[in-house]
Amino acid sequence: MDPKDLFGKVLSAIEDHHRWFNSSLPMIASENVTSPSVRRALVSDFGHRYAEGWVGERVYAGTKYIDLVESLAMDLIKDLYNVKYADVRPISGVVANLSIYTAFTQPGDTIMALPITKGGHISMGPLKGSKGQFIGGTAGAVRGLDVKYIAFDDENMNIDVDKTISRMEKNKPKLIMLGGSVILFPQPVKEIVEAAKSLGALVNYDGAHVAGLIAGGQFQDPMAEGSDTMSFSTHKTFFGPQHGAVITNDEEKFELIKKANFPGLLSNHHLNAVAALAIAAAEMKAFGKEYAKAVVDNAKALAQALHDEGFKVVAEHLGFTESHQVLLDVDEIGGGYKCEKLLEEANIIVNRNLLPWDIKRGRSFKDPGGLRLGVSELTRLGMGKDEMRRVAELYRKVLLDKKDPKEVAREVSEFRKGFQTVKYAFEEGLAYEH
Ligand SMILES: Cc1ncc(COP(=O)(O)O)c(C=O)c1O
């Protein structure tokens, strides 16, 4: 292909994508949209530079402004989470988890985490499943850890404390990974920390999903509940960019985390993203409380509205959700794969997801029985509870009334016209520029 054609094709695909997302409802729970200021940092010259190592101890010259910005990013993160130490170098949530494994475990050690079927993330997963099938989770496949599972109570959509503690006593893990990818409710962090202490195990809370809600004071604070460390990505309920971080209050543990990140896992650590993270953290400090409250209010409102429209919303008896996520059980209306595709045709972007009871009823990750909806991005675009009712109606039209998704896409597009800019930011601007 002519390189110039290729160049044109890439640019026009990016523009098409922006146009599409400008007229869609982006509801992937692990995503969010960044402010114009965060995007400005992302395209800055910081992205062309190297600054291996720690601030003040760089292996490269030319880093005085980079050092200043990285120090600000660390200070802001420490302030937001009220902790003593922060490493903002992990380039993603997976790398943040890997830095925890590298710092505190050796290949062959046992750790415990939730299985993916019950909300765990692939980065906490084993190499192989119980039947010897390949899973390839980061903990097992990359660090060589033996992963045993935390017990989950499907009815309460939460960790089963008693069963988990007895599994901890049996398996003697070095590390317990809390948090997860499907997380509707605060977990029993205090109880697990207490049991872990008596067994000499460490607890890391993976706050990838709820980091912004924690910073905004709207979700459990795992560090205040005694977690040794918290790893997280910075772009789901946090204001972006795609990056990671680790925090702790323990100096010795922090030294191990620092070494794990450099020279262990990272050479350069994407300095433009560190600058963007500093700005996002400042936005969190200024607007996080208000934003996180709006996110949780919106998730609750959406869950209730979907229930009222006739959907099977998970955890009705528990008030549906206390996070940014809502889970739908769509087993009886075509399954996750089909529903995801129909919604996508209607410009509603969500992802299919395993529900805790899916394996028992013969479903698999390819066509699970659930949809995981997130409201972080719609909230950042300025939507509130009234809009959540409108969103639920649009879901009903596609999935229950079986209207032509293309027709609904036009309605979605019209509806989105009123929500084109990023809110909770120092500089408001178009969400998806083209
Ligand atoms: C609980 C959890 N941990 C880690 C990650 C990985 O984060 P990243 O995509 O930033 O590597 C995710 C991603 O969705 C997640 O849900």
Side-chain angles (χ1 to χ4, degrees):
M1 191 189 278
D2 178 349
K4 206 156 174 215
D5 283 352
L6 188 79
F7 161 81
K9 272 210 167 88
V10 172
L11 287 186
S12 72
I14 292 172
E15 283 188 11
D16 288 346
H17 172 86
H18 285 170
R19 221 169 282 120
W20 186 28
F21 269 64
N22 262 324
S23 47
S24 300
L25 296 175
M27 297 183 69
I28 304 272
S30 53
E31 296 177 353
N32 210 328
V33 61
T34 51
S35 68
S37 344
V38 165
R39 273 176 269 154
R40 198 131 52 86
L42 275 176
V43 297
S44 72
D45 182 63
F46 277 34
H48 305 133
R49 303 299 150 204
Y50 265 83
E52 285 177 0
W54 194 250
V55 171
E57 306 163 12
R58 302 297 197 191
V59 183
Y60 283 79
T63 67
K64 64 181 170 190
Y65 299 110
I66 290 165
D67 281 10
L68 172 69
V69 168
E70 191 164 318
S71 299
L72 286 171
M74 287 190 279
D75 287 346
L76 278 157
I77 293 291
K78 285 188 275 183
D79 182 49
L80 279 173
Y81 295 102
N82 195 23
V83 292
K84 291 189 189 142
Y85 307 102
D87 194 336
V88 295
R89 293 174 300 174
I91 56 172
S92 72
V94 169
V95 173
N97 282 347
L98 206 40
S99 77
I100 295 291
Y101 305 148
T102 309
F104 304 120
T105 67
Q106 292 296 321
D109 283 348
T110 299
I111 68 162
M112 284 179 70
L114 282 169
I116 296 160
T117 51
K118 314 264 180 183
H121 185 255
I122 188 69
S123 60
M124 310 167 185
L127 174 63
K128 288 182 182 166
S130 56
K131 296 183 189 104
Q133 78 279 24
F134 180 77
I135 293 182
T138 312
V142 180
R143 187 59 180 161
L145 297 170
D146 181 17
V147 181
K148 301 283 191 232
Y149 289 134
I150 287 173
F152 192 77
D153 177 352
D154 295 0
E155 182 63 18
N156 284 321
M157 283 305 286
N158 213 327
I159 290 170
D160 183 322
V161 176
D162 292 343
K163 277 197 191 144
T164 298
I165 292 176
S166 67
R167 287 186 194 178
M168 284 163 66
E169 286 164 353
K170 182 168 159 236
N171 293 311
K172 309 259 179 311
K174 267 249 177 92
L175 170 71
I176 322 282
M177 293 290 285
L178 296 179
S181 296
V182 176
I183 181 159
L184 297 176
F185 303 107
Q187 294 176 339
V189 174
K190 252 189 222 148
E191 291 84 341
I192 302 292
V193 164
E194 216 170 277
K197 278 215 170 89
S198 71
L199 294 166
L202 293 179
V203 174
N204 176 68
Y205 186 92
D206 178 344
H209 265 269
V210 287
L213 304 183
I214 298 170
Q218 293 294 318
F219 205 73
Q220 78 184 134
D221 177 351
M223 297 307 292
E225 291 187 42
S227 187
D228 293 287
T229 51
M230 175 167 122
S231 54
F232 53 108
S233 18
T234 52
H235 47 268
K236 302 180 197 293
T237 50
F238 206 88
F239 285 155
Q242 294 213 343
H243 199 71
V246 178
I247 54 176
T248 184
N249 281 310
D250 184 306
E251 189 177 0
E252 269 177 46
K253 291 188 181 78
F254 189 57
E255 286 306 315
L256 294 172
I257 291 165
K258 277 168 68 178
K259 284 203 184 86
N261 279 311
F262 182 84
L265 296 166
L266 301 159
S267 162
N268 202 24
H269 50 278
H270 303 181
L271 309 165
N272 53 334
V274 172
L277 176 59
I279 292 175
E283 291 173 342
M284 263 288 148
K285 182 81 188 147
F287 310 104
K289 202 167 172 204
E290 194 192 343
Y291 171 73
K293 182 171 184 328
V295 169
V296 176
D297 285 351
N298 279 347
K300 286 177 190 286
L302 178 65
Q304 185 63 53
L306 286 163
H307 171 77
D308 296 346
E309 292 288 356
F311 284 97
K312 213 164 163 184
V313 186
V314 171
E316 181 192 355
H317 63 299
L318 303 166
F320 302 116
T321 183
E322 285 176 38
S323 74
H324 60 304
Q325 299 181 359
V326 175
L327 287 182
L328 289 186
D329 190 330
V330 292
D331 179 57
E332 289 164 7
I333 54 169
Y337 183 81
K338 190 171 158 210
C339 289
E340 178 193 286
K341 295 294 165 238
L342 284 169
L343 288 166
E344 189 183 43
E345 263 190 83
N347 286 3
I348 301 173
I349 318 291
V350 291
N351 72 287
R352 59 188 186 275
N353 219 98
L354 277 170
L355 295 176
W357 42 89
D358 269 349
I359 303 296
K360 263 193 223 146
R361 63 183 176 187
R363 286 202 171 267
S364 71
F365 75 95
K366 281 194 182 144
D367 187 12
L371 291 178
R372 185 187 64 168
L373 325 181
V375 298
S376 319
E377 194 160 344
L378 297 188
T379 308
R380 193 116 206 249
L381 293 169
M383 293 193 192
K385 290 191 216 167
D386 289 344
E387 284 74 34
M388 294 303 111
R389 279 189 284 278
R390 181 89 176 93
V391 171
E393 268 171 41
L394 293 161
Y395 273 74
R396 190 241 304 144
K397 286 184 184 177
V398 181
L399 298 180
L400 301 182
D401 301 349
K402 312 278 183 206
K403 272 197 151 191
D404 178 1
K406 294 254 175 310
E407 227 176 86
V408 183
R410 282 192 283 278
E411 276 189 62
V412 169
S413 209
E414 206 44 45
F415 172 47
R416 260 304 304 276
K417 281 188 182 153
F419 302 92
Q420 290 287 297
T421 56
V422 177
K423 310 289 184 202
Y424 307 96
F426 299 114
E427 300 175 292
E428 285 190 9
L430 281 181
Y432 319 100
E433 282 184 283
H434 56 268

